[in-house]
Amino acid sequence: MKKINFKQFKTFTDITSEKTSLVDVRKPLADALYKTANGIAAHDLALRIYRSDGEMELEDSDVQLLLDF
């Protein structure tokens, strides 16, 4: 299991990867996953990401689905 906070997702803001910013990626990630991934598991994960409010636990299968996506 992994814990990820999609509401405060750390992203790099420069080419050197020294500066970071916290970005809310819930809606864009959930929308992309919902529109393009196949299967009920992908749609379920998209809805859980969209509805999350802070750190959420992901099963290994959820993590693999995101990696494959």
Side-chain angles (χ1 to χ4, degrees):
M1 279 205 192
K2 279 197 148 195
K3 291 186 178 186
I4 299 178
N5 187 340
F6 293 103
K7 187 176 182 180
Q8 294 182 341
F9 196 80
K10 186 189 277 188
T11 60
F12 294 111
T13 59
D14 65 349
I15 194 72
T16 63
S17 299
E18 293 176 356
K19 296 180 182 178
T20 61
S21 178
L22 296 178
V23 179
D24 186 350
V25 297
R26 292 174 300 169
K27 186 176 182 324
L29 176 60
D31 280 343
L33 189 60
Y34 188 83
K35 289 177 186 176
T36 60
N38 292 322
I40 192 72
H43 287 214
D44 174 60
L45 180 57
L47 289 172
R48 286 188 285 134
I49 290 170
Y50 178 71
R51 293 177 179 150
S52 70
D53 189 31
E55 195 171 67
M56 66 180 283
E57 284 190 10
L58 296 175
E59 300 287 333
D60 292 338
S61 59
D62 295 331
V63 173
Q64 189 60 51
L65 199 151
L66 284 172
L67 291 172
D68 291 344
F69 172 68

